[in-house]
Amino acid sequence: MTSNVGGFAAVVLAAGQGTRMKSALPKVLHEIAGRPMVDWPVAAALEAGAARVVVVLGYGKAQVEAALELAGGRVETALQAEQRGTGHAVRCALPSLEGFEGTVVILYGDVPLLEASALEALVGARGAAALSLLTCRTSSPTGYGRILRDGTGAVVGIREEKDCSDAERAIDEINPGVYATDAAFLREALAALTDDNAQGELYLTDIVAAAAARGGARAVPWALESLSGVNDRAQLADAAAVMRRRIATRHARAGVTIRDLARVDIDAEVTIEADAVIEPGVVLRGATAIGAGAHVDVGCVVTDSVLEPGAYLEPYSVVTESRVGPAAHVGPFSHLRPGSVMGPRAKVGNFVEMKKTTLGEDAKANHLSYLGDGTVGPRVNIGAGTIFCNYDGFRKHQTVLEEGCFIGSDSQLVAPVRVGAGAYVATGTTVTKDVPPDALAVGRIRQSNKEGYASRLKARFAALAKAEKEKKDAQEP
Ligand code: UD1
Ligand code: CA
């Protein structure tokens, strides 16, 4: 989606460490809906039609650069080696914009909820003025720069909180830090900045007074909900909650049944087709794709996986880097580890763990099994408590169960091993050598019944218990 305000350049400031996060990770790499925070304003700028985006990096530059989505070359980075303030940071982006005339949008990398529509409104509002900026009213302005207006209501500047007088601190209109400027004006205004302020920094916010002085600072009021800055981890959690709700709402509007919009956690890249059902407490992460009519029940966690149409995850199942086939069924309480692939209508019931194993169509493992490093053919039935013994302490080995074979409960398949098509493994068998097709494998001690023994045995045990009790009673005073 691109808009009609295209052709502008955007600068995203992301060089700070973010000390208030108290983190070894650079602030802008903390994630919101599975994406580094900085990717959100970059994506908003691109969606609003930015022809190019310059991201200013400093603290942890290599690490941030590696995580950035470069959007096919439209995103580039600039270095601010020393963090001397937001104005200084924009100065560091100027060499990348050399020769560029027109609108430069400036935003901060710690404002993840910003929508493209806000940028479109902002760019549209600038017109021929030197600058336009978003502003917000809020009952809790703490931490933000305050908007200063004159008697006529015109914006005359921004005062950082640390530089505010008591009266200024009481102002409830704040600077969310999103600006559209004319490139020529920006170069001039940045050159004139000084660090004569409480933090000894070059404040970008001072360009607003410079624009006002020439009659050109246009304010665009916008809701704070989508503009709140993330400076600490409480604000990070708040922003993530807003984003979660936004993503859930988008899917619901597109035809997904989301039972409770506030109690699902769906990453940005996840795709869900219409008529899928997502129950409360579900977490869908990474590049997960959910097919039409699939049902993800309460408490499931699905990461980088595909659920084909009509697949059903019963509650509390965990699926990672796996594929659940059409109308296949998992859980409750089952675990598909990386490399699990279930064919059409295949079923794993409760307490089944799979890893690097393929189940053919209509194959079943209904209860309590470990299926690791296996290939299971169509219509195989795996009984309760079956274990693929895939690891000898040094290497992993394959178990192959051919089409239509039957594995009795409590069997162990000591890999490498193959059970032929249609073969039958009797309950409780430890399979250590290949079973030919259509053969019966039995490996257990033959049962013998001793007639009338049960009552004699019980009488003997009862007598022993009685004698022990009498002896103990006699010892007590
Ligand atoms: C800034 C604004 C404040 C506004 C608030 C909105 C200034 C002086 N103040 O304050 O008016 O209300 O954002 O959220 O602009 N950065 C650099 N290099 C630097 C300093 C900062 O790249 O030298 C980056 C940071 O990584 C961050 C962004 O700029 O992504 C904002 O910096 P931060 O220190 O969070 O500014 P605030 O104190 O929040
Ligand atoms: Ca901030």
Side-chain angles (χ1 to χ4, degrees):
M1 206 194 317
T2 47
S3 75
N4 54 357
V5 296
F8 64 87
V11 176
V12 177
L13 305 188
Q17 175 180 5
T19 44
R20 288 168 278 180
M21 296 294 281
K22 306 199 165 108
S23 176
L25 194 66
K27 172 162 78 173
V28 294
L29 288 188
H30 283 261
E31 288 190 352
I32 299 224
R35 263 187 180 178
M37 191 168 3
V38 66
D39 273 346
W40 288 102
V42 171
L46 291 171
E47 193 187 329
R52 45 201 293 216
V53 181
V54 181
V55 185
V56 181
L57 300 177
Y59 181 83
K61 179 170 187 279
Q63 207 182 345
V64 180
E65 215 154 36
L68 266 184
E69 284 177 32
L70 295 179
R74 282 201 287 165
V75 179
E76 59 196 291
T77 61
L79 172 68
Q80 184 194 25
E82 212 188 320
Q83 280 71 67
R84 295 176 47 209
T86 49
H88 179 252
V90 180
R91 272 191 195 168
C92 296
L94 290 182
S96 310
L97 296 175
E98 199 163 319
F100 179 85
E101 297 304 329
T103 303
V104 179
V105 167
I106 304 165
L107 24 134
Y108 300 155
D110 63 354
V111 184
L113 299 171
L114 175 72
E115 299 129 322
S117 56
L119 294 179
E120 290 166 18
L122 178 74
V123 172
R126 185 175 75 85
L131 175 146
S132 57
L133 75 164
L134 298 181
T135 69
C136 307
R137 297 265 175 203
T138 170
S139 54
S140 43
T142 308
Y144 291 98
R146 307 298 201 276
I147 305 291
L148 308 179
R149 290 182 184 260
D150 67 13
T152 71
V155 172
V156 293
I158 292 173
R159 187 86 73 222
E160 287 309 292
E161 183 166 85
K162 288 183 176 144
D163 300 282
C164 278
S165 67
D166 288 346
E168 287 166 341
R169 203 168 295 117
I171 295 171
D172 68 352
E173 189 182 16
I174 60 100
N175 169 36
V178 187
Y179 323 84
T181 66
D182 170 68
F185 160 77
L186 180 66
R187 289 188 185 100
E188 222 182 283
L190 288 175
L193 291 179
T194 66
D195 61 3
D196 182 17
N197 54 53
Q199 302 184 76
E201 290 183 351
L202 298 176
Y203 288 166
L204 176 62
T205 42
D206 288 347
I207 68 171
V208 175
R214 50 174 91 180
R218 298 199 177 150
V220 179
W222 206 263
L224 182 64
E225 196 205 49
S226 60
L227 295 171
S228 34
V230 172
N231 294 314
D232 61 32
R233 294 201 214 201
Q235 290 171 330
L236 178 72
D238 283 343
V242 173
M243 189 63 82
R244 258 201 304 278
R245 175 107 193 177
R246 221 185 247 181
I247 291 172
T249 304
R250 164 165 63 82
H251 288 295
R253 296 239 157 88
V256 178
T257 296
I258 298 197
R259 212 70 79 181
D260 184 341
L261 292 176
R263 286 198 292 152
V264 290
D265 193 344
I266 304 173
D267 276 359
E269 319 292 336
V270 171
T271 61
I272 313 180
E273 289 176 9
D275 282 328
V277 178
I278 312 294
E279 302 282 3
V282 167
V283 180
L284 305 177
R285 294 189 182 131
T288 289
I290 310 284
H295 192 136
V296 187
D297 216 325
V298 174
C300 289
V301 180
V302 184
T303 307
D304 295 326
S305 293
V306 175
L307 266 56
E308 297 201 50
Y312 190 178
L313 299 194
E314 287 208 58
Y316 303 104
S317 293
V318 177
V319 176
T320 306
E321 293 170 37
S322 292
R323 173 178 284 266
V324 180
H329 191 117
V330 176
F333 300 103
S334 280
H335 188 185
L336 270 54
R337 291 168 50 207
S340 302
V341 177
M342 294 174 65
R345 299 172 308 279
K347 182 170 180 209
V348 296
N350 39 196
F351 306 106
V352 175
E353 176 182 348
M354 284 179 73
K355 187 216 68 170
K356 282 193 188 153
T357 290
T358 298
L359 282 189
E361 60 179 28
D362 295 299
K364 288 184 178 59
N366 276 339
H367 335 264
L368 300 153
S369 290
Y370 173 59
L371 315 177
D373 300 300
T375 304
V376 176
R379 289 168 291 283
V380 169
N381 192 311
I382 296 174
T386 295
I387 296 171
F388 290 7
C389 308
N390 61 327
Y391 187 46
D392 59 17
F394 299 91
R395 288 176 305 155
K396 303 284 170 64
H397 304 281
Q398 294 290 316
T399 295
V400 179
L401 306 182
E402 290 179 359
E403 172 164 4
C405 69
F406 181 95
I407 310 298
S409 297
D410 194 28
S411 293
Q412 301 90 49
L413 296 140
V414 183
V417 75
R418 172 182 290 266
V419 178
Y424 194 105
V425 172
T427 290
T429 296
T430 301
V431 181
T432 54
K433 53 185 192 217
D434 290 357
V435 180
D438 199 32
L440 167 68
V442 201
R444 60 186 186 221
I445 295 168
R446 193 174 285 275
Q447 177 176 336
S448 64
N449 292 336
K450 300 187 177 177
E451 298 286 342
Y453 248 60
S455 53
R456 279 154 65 193
L457 199 65
K458 285 187 244 173
R460 210 176 97 217
F461 289 155
L464 283 170
K466 186 163 174 258
E468 262 173 35
K469 184 167 188 299
E470 281 166 4
K471 194 173 160 200
K472 198 168 154 228
D473 288 349
Q475 281 165 355
E476 269 165 24

